[in-house]
Amino acid sequence: MSLPSTKRIVGYVRVSTSRQAEEGFSIAVQRERIAQYVQALDLGELVEIVVDEGESAKDLKRPGMERLLGMVRRREVDMVVVAKLDRATRSMRDLLGLVATFERYRVEFASIAERLDTSSAAGRFFVGMLGLVAEWERSATCERTAVVARKLTRDGRAIARTAPYGARIVEREVMTSKGPAIRQFVEADPERRAELEAVELARSLRAEGLSIGEIRKRLVSAGFRNRN
């Protein structure tokens, strides 16, 4: 299949209800910036400008954005241009997802305010740095969560709605810096001792090389049942 001789460019503009009247964010201003950008750099043909009016950027579930992504997947566009990154999304995760989708379908992406253009080495480097920052944020969040979970576990506090096998969650009144408070704790439950036996049997069967399905059948035949 031959590629089109002229680059097909689609602009995307968005305004949220609370910011429609703000200078620099109106639909008209965004349209003009995109048109001038495409013309000044002679990028190709601006075939359409997709609009999301009165839509927030909390996620990508917006009529205009979904339509734009549909065009990308149908390979009806070669480049997407926005006036500012936060017009497309305010989430770094969603931004990286968008860029990944564009790359998969060989669609270039440009944001005028940030001077971002993934057709250039500098633009691809910028996106790569965003990915590294996002990965660092995820790792830092996991580390903080793990530290809190370990402390709660040492204190016997519940860290999930469901108790571990062989245990139960109970509520107790404790004194805090703000006075009495109800907290949930984990304690052994004699009535659930069979759960621990099931876990030990499952581990030994797994060590013998049995599959998950085979282990399930052995547990059922041995009379063990899950909590449901």
Side-chain angles (χ1 to χ4, degrees):
M1 182 176 66
S2 61
L3 295 175
S5 56
T6 301
K7 186 181 295 184
R8 300 163 301 178
I9 302 172
V10 173
Y12 175 81
V13 304
R14 180 189 65 82
V15 289
S16 57
T17 303
S18 61
R19 305 188 71 170
Q20 286 181 0
E22 288 188 25
E23 183 178 357
F25 287 92
S26 71
I27 290 177
V29 169
Q30 291 179 64
R31 281 180 175 274
E32 184 179 358
R33 288 182 180 178
I34 291 172
Q36 290 178 347
Y37 178 81
V38 172
Q39 183 178 10
L41 297 182
D42 193 21
L43 296 176
E45 180 186 1
L46 182 60
V47 296
E48 185 177 348
I49 294 182
V50 178
V51 179
D52 265 323
E53 186 171 358
E55 297 287 340
S56 73
K58 63 180 181 179
D59 55 40
L60 300 178
K61 295 179 180 179
R62 300 167 238 148
M65 178 58 72
E66 291 178 346
R67 181 168 181 276
L68 172 64
L69 291 174
M71 296 173 68
V72 169
R73 295 187 181 101
R74 292 190 300 271
R75 302 184 186 278
E76 298 173 354
V77 54
D78 303 307
M79 185 177 191
V80 174
V81 180
V82 297
K84 199 169 185 283
L85 274 180
D86 65 6
R87 299 301 87 199
T89 177
R90 294 182 182 277
S91 164
M92 185 176 295
R93 177 181 298 179
D94 286 343
L95 173 61
L96 294 174
L98 277 178
V99 172
T101 298
F102 294 157
E103 288 181 346
R104 187 179 308 123
Y105 292 93
R106 297 184 179 180
V107 173
E108 298 170 2
F109 177 61
S111 178
I112 301 170
E114 289 80 10
R115 298 183 181 179
L116 166 65
D117 184 348
T118 60
S119 66
S120 68
R124 291 190 293 272
F125 174 78
F126 179 74
V127 172
M129 291 301 296
L130 289 179
L132 291 175
V133 171
E135 182 178 352
W136 173 82
E137 287 183 341
R138 287 193 296 269
S139 298
T141 299
C142 290
E143 288 178 1
R144 290 193 296 269
T145 302
V147 170
V148 173
R150 285 195 295 269
K151 184 179 187 306
L152 291 175
T153 301
R154 287 196 302 268
D155 295 341
R157 293 275 301 280
I159 59 175
R161 294 182 178 181
T162 304
Y165 290 120
R168 63 187 175 192
I169 295 177
V170 297
E171 292 185 346
R172 298 174 185 164
E173 184 177 286
V174 298
M175 289 299 300
T176 69
S177 59
K178 297 182 180 180
I182 300 298
R183 295 287 186 267
Q184 291 184 330
F185 293 86
V186 176
E187 65 177 25
D189 186 351
E191 296 182 0
R192 290 181 172 176
R193 186 174 301 171
E195 292 180 344
L196 296 179
E197 296 174 3
V199 170
E200 290 302 320
L201 176 58
R203 286 175 176 168
S204 62
L205 294 175
R206 188 63 170 170
E208 294 175 10
L210 273 69
S211 68
I212 299 299
E214 292 170 333
I215 293 173
R216 181 187 62 80
K217 292 178 181 178
R218 291 284 290 273
L219 290 174
V220 171
S221 64
F224 292 110
R225 297 289 185 271
N226 62 36
R227 291 179 179 177
N228 299 321

